[in-house]
Amino acid sequence: MFAYNPKDAVMTQPDGDYPAVLAGHDEKNSAAGNPMLVVMFTVYAPDGTMCELSDYIVSPPPGSGKKSTVFKLKRIAQALGQEEAFEAGTFDISKFMGYNLTVTLGTQSQAGYDDKNTIRAYKPASATGPVSMAAAGGAPPDDDLPF
């Protein structure tokens, strides 16, 4: 019989603040056809594990009557010390790949689906500038890999 710990079936981190690294972004259209920015983060737990989370920022055309989530981009800019650039319309998230910040995680539950973490807030990190995955508690040195 395969040995396992039932507690390992939990796929979420407890709600709270976690260090994170801005890991990537992708510009595309939402399912409704609106311009959308997908922002990817690597989030580090105190036990050294990490998970990848994305947040979705939608900017529907003016007058469409659809809800914008550009406030999320503003919060990311604020956490990176770039509120002036955001307000000027010049904040370019691509220039901040690898930068660290703090994310506040929450848990979303939906009937018929596993619970999942969501990002509820962005805050400045205690360190600034780009960080390596290892410095943020991520990937082990190559000699620790089993292959």
Side-chain angles (χ1 to χ4, degrees):
M1 182 171 137
F2 178 72
Y4 65 93
N5 181 347
K7 293 180 182 179
D8 289 342
V10 176
M11 296 173 43
T12 61
Q13 295 294 334
D15 294 1
D17 290 347
Y18 293 86
V21 172
L22 190 50
H25 73 290
D26 189 21
E27 292 183 43
K28 55 182 163 182
N29 287 327
S30 70
N34 295 310
M36 180 172 69
L37 177 66
V38 181
V39 185
M40 288 83 72
F41 299 89
T42 302
V43 180
Y44 298 91
D47 65 3
T49 60
M50 60 185 155
C51 66
E52 303 293 327
L53 288 178
S54 296
D55 209 347
Y56 304 87
I57 301 166
V58 180
S59 181
S64 68
K66 297 178 182 176
K67 185 178 176 182
S68 168
T69 57
V70 175
F71 68 89
K72 294 179 182 183
L73 186 60
K74 180 177 183 176
R75 300 293 182 246
I76 294 169
Q78 289 171 328
L80 295 169
Q82 297 297 310
E83 187 170 10
E84 275 187 40
F86 176 84
E87 294 298 337
T90 60
F91 176 64
D92 181 358
I93 200 163
S94 68
K95 294 180 180 177
F96 295 92
M97 295 300 108
Y99 275 66
N100 57 326
L101 63 159
T102 299
V103 294
T104 301
L105 298 184
T107 305
Q108 180 180 356
S109 298
Q110 185 176 352
Y113 296 93
D114 289 334
D115 288 352
K116 68 177 185 176
N117 281 126
T118 59
I119 299 173
R120 293 198 173 154
Y122 299 95
K123 300 175 184 177
S126 57
T128 58
V131 295
S132 69
M133 287 180 59
D142 287 344
D143 58 346
D144 288 345
L145 296 176
F147 49 87

